[in-house]
Amino acid sequence: TKIVQEINAAPQRKVVMDLAGVRFMDSMGVGILVTVLKHARSNGIEYSVMSNDVVDQILGVTCLNKVIRLTRNLEEALATPGS
């Protein structure tokens, strides 16, 4: 997909998807998050999602909140996990 191509072209080893303004997400959106997660994991890339209550709820229902690092702002997303 195009997003995976863009990740591959970027020199950074950290991907932050800004979904803080998202008010609706269907199965296609969830599928994109899973595709990026799989690609990030298989290529040693840190992956996090800037989220909001709507996204949190969707990812909670799908249990993706257990495997995708969710943050509320860019500073938190760029920080090393666990720091």
Side-chain angles (χ1 to χ4, degrees):
T1 65
K2 184 176 180 178
I3 193 164
V4 169
Q5 291 171 346
E6 289 182 20
I7 292 169
N8 287 337
Q12 298 83 6
R13 304 308 301 162
K14 191 175 280 200
V15 172
V16 178
M17 292 186 80
D18 183 356
L19 302 183
V22 169
R23 297 288 167 231
F24 172 81
M25 184 185 305
D26 61 10
S27 60
M28 183 173 282
V30 172
I32 290 169
L33 293 178
V34 171
T35 297
V36 174
L37 173 65
K38 288 179 180 179
H39 179 75
R41 282 186 168 180
S42 66
N43 289 283
I45 298 170
E46 283 184 42
Y47 174 51
S48 59
V49 171
M50 286 174 36
S51 187
N52 62 32
D53 292 341
V54 172
V55 175
D56 286 350
Q57 183 178 17
I58 293 165
L59 297 184
V61 168
T62 61
C63 295
L64 286 172
N65 61 338
K66 296 178 189 223
V67 294
I68 295 176
R69 182 171 175 245
L70 302 177
T71 66
R72 289 295 188 187
N73 57 59
L74 187 58
E75 181 180 285
E76 188 181 332
L78 293 176
T80 303
S83 64

